Amino acid sequence: MKLEEFVYDLPERLIAQTPVEPRDASRLLVLHRADGNIEHKHFYNVIDYLAPQDVLVINHTKVLPARLWAHRDSGALIEVLLVQQVDLNHWKALVRPGRKVRAGEHLTFADGILDGQVEEVVEEGMRLIRFDYQGNFMEILDKLGTMPLPPYIHEELKDQSRYQCVYAKDPGSAAAPTAGLHFTNELLDRIRAKGVAVAEVLLNVGLGTFRPVKVENIEEHQMHAEYYSVDKATARLINERRAAGGRIVAVGTTSTRTLETVSTDDGIVHAGSGWTQKFIYPGYRYKAVDALITNFHLPGSTLMMLVSAFATREQIMQAYRQAVADEYRFFSFGDAMLIL
């Protein structure tokens, strides 16, 4: 398939710059795959589409304050965005501007509270950096780092917690699993009270999820690896509920990719952990996911391709045209879609 088939026109004014308050007051477009019918709701209405035997699958990853600023030996200030931890002292990081940052260069963060040594040029913009420090690295990161908001968000985020899901608990992501940002603790309590099970999986979101597709033939695109984990209790809960007639409702593309990574062709979800490069695009047959809650994604992105595989490309493009016409808010802090 061609990249151009997943591109749509989006006025810049529809790119959400700030989150809605309260979280679940955002709008919700409901797409029914069976007939292509579209409904317009608010996110707090999502409970009306869940049945007592269903399982809502959430990704409990937590976003790291991964954006840092460093001085090069020349005195120039550069941005360092931590993407993936390799070991206790080594991280892969995006460096901007990074063209002149070469292996062997020394970086100084916050007057020496944290030091870095560039050990390898991994690829365009990406460096392997060894960090030297005293104490706990995550505590230092909490003091020095800021939330790695996407480049299309230009407004300052006054409350850093608004780029975290209310159930986030396991630090490791370079970006938020944004479909989960709409949930409040109160809404989750109401969902559980209805009898819906809430199951947790983990996928540490890397920038590979949002990496632009640069090839005309999308099948040639390579995804970056991201760490996932599904424990035995979660796998058992999902399998038991589905066997009893319940649906698996994935919250976001990250939960979706995790479930599809660990499931077999018979739809059984297996416990496990590792690294996934799962790339889902039209023609893929879903094995474990029956319904999907997701945000509105960037034109031509792998996320557009994933949702187009879950419904059809034509249904998704029509839904996006409708969302633009009705002035839904797009991307990370935007509105949501429920695909049934």
Side-chain angles (χ1 to χ4, degrees):
M1 302 188 74
K2 303 299 182 185
L3 176 60
E4 63 188 24
E5 297 180 61
F6 301 93
V7 175
Y8 64 93
D9 293 325
L10 179 68
E12 188 172 349
R13 59 186 170 80
L14 297 184
I15 300 175
Q17 295 297 311
T18 56
V20 168
E21 295 293 347
R23 291 172 181 254
D24 60 359
S26 54
R27 298 170 71 187
L28 178 69
L29 186 149
V30 183
L31 171 62
H32 298 266
R33 291 181 291 170
D35 56 11
N37 185 45
I38 291 173
E39 297 180 272
H40 301 284
K41 302 289 184 176
H42 285 90
F43 194 81
Y44 50 73
N45 298 126
V46 74
I47 191 172
D48 299 331
Y49 296 90
L50 300 175
Q53 66 269 33
D54 292 342
V55 182
L56 188 73
V57 181
I58 60 177
N59 178 9
H60 68 244
T61 190
K62 189 173 184 178
V63 185
L64 293 168
R67 177 168 278 127
L68 299 164
W69 295 93
H71 283 97
R72 299 175 58 198
D73 291 330
S74 65
L77 188 66
I78 60 171
E79 180 186 22
V80 177
L81 179 60
L82 304 182
V83 174
Q84 181 184 318
Q85 187 172 17
V86 177
D87 56 34
L88 190 61
N89 292 87
H90 290 83
W91 287 76
K92 289 182 181 179
L94 281 175
V95 178
R96 293 182 291 202
R99 183 173 296 179
K100 296 181 180 179
V101 180
R102 297 182 172 89
E105 182 152 5
H106 175 255
L107 303 176
T108 303
F109 301 80
D111 297 324
I113 294 176
L114 185 65
D115 281 317
Q117 186 80 14
V118 180
E119 293 196 341
E120 183 182 344
V121 177
V122 181
E123 58 180 89
E124 181 183 356
M126 190 81 74
R127 302 292 187 272
L128 179 66
I129 300 176
R130 188 191 78 239
F131 288 97
D132 296 306
Y133 53 91
Q134 296 292 324
N136 184 287
F137 183 81
M138 290 302 171
E139 291 179 0
I140 294 172
L141 197 58
D142 282 337
K143 293 178 182 178
L144 303 184
T146 59
M147 282 296 175
L149 295 180
Y152 50 75
I153 294 178
H154 308 298
E155 296 285 334
E156 180 184 355
L157 182 62
K158 296 179 180 178
D159 179 1
Q160 298 291 302
S161 70
R162 285 300 276 109
Y163 195 58
Q164 300 279 17
C165 298
V166 295
Y167 45 74
K169 63 183 181 183
D170 194 341
S173 280
T178 54
L181 294 178
H182 303 281
F183 285 94
T184 64
N185 286 316
E186 293 76 16
L187 178 58
L188 287 167
D189 287 343
R190 289 173 53 216
I191 287 170
R192 292 187 180 97
K194 189 174 182 177
V196 178
V198 178
E200 297 182 353
V201 299
L202 174 72
L203 186 132
N204 285 334
V205 187
L207 297 184
T209 295
F210 309 98
R211 181 186 177 200
V213 178
K214 297 181 178 180
V215 291
E216 183 179 355
N217 179 2
I218 66 168
E219 296 176 29
E220 297 174 1
H221 177 73
Q222 293 292 317
M223 297 285 286
H224 283 180
E226 295 169 312
Y227 180 78
Y228 72 87
S229 179
V230 178
D231 64 31
K232 291 181 179 179
T234 294
R236 182 169 61 250
L237 171 64
I238 291 172
N239 293 329
E240 288 176 352
R241 287 272 180 144
R242 205 176 194 208
R247 297 171 303 167
I248 308 307
V249 183
V251 177
T253 58
T254 61
S255 296
T256 298
R257 290 178 61 237
T258 302
L259 291 170
E260 293 299 313
T261 295
V262 300
S263 61
T264 43
D265 288 341
D266 55 6
I268 300 298
V269 170
H270 300 269
S273 62
W275 296 84
T276 181
Q277 291 179 279
K278 193 79 170 179
F279 179 24
I280 298 175
Y281 53 87
Y284 178 83
R285 185 180 69 84
Y286 278 82
K287 299 171 290 187
V289 176
D290 302 303
L292 171 60
I293 298 170
T294 187
N295 275 22
F296 291 95
H297 304 296
L298 275 71
S301 63
T302 59
L303 308 181
M304 279 289 293
M305 297 164 194
L306 182 150
V307 296
S308 295
F310 191 71
T312 67
R313 191 190 70 85
E314 293 75 17
Q315 286 178 332
I316 293 298
M317 298 307 286
Q318 175 57 33
Y320 271 59
R321 286 191 292 269
Q322 186 69 57
V324 169
D326 287 356
E327 299 199 338
Y328 275 67
R329 303 167 80 246
F330 279 67
F331 305 163
S332 294
F333 286 143
D335 296 315
M337 176 188 290
L338 169 62
I339 309 174
L340 296 170

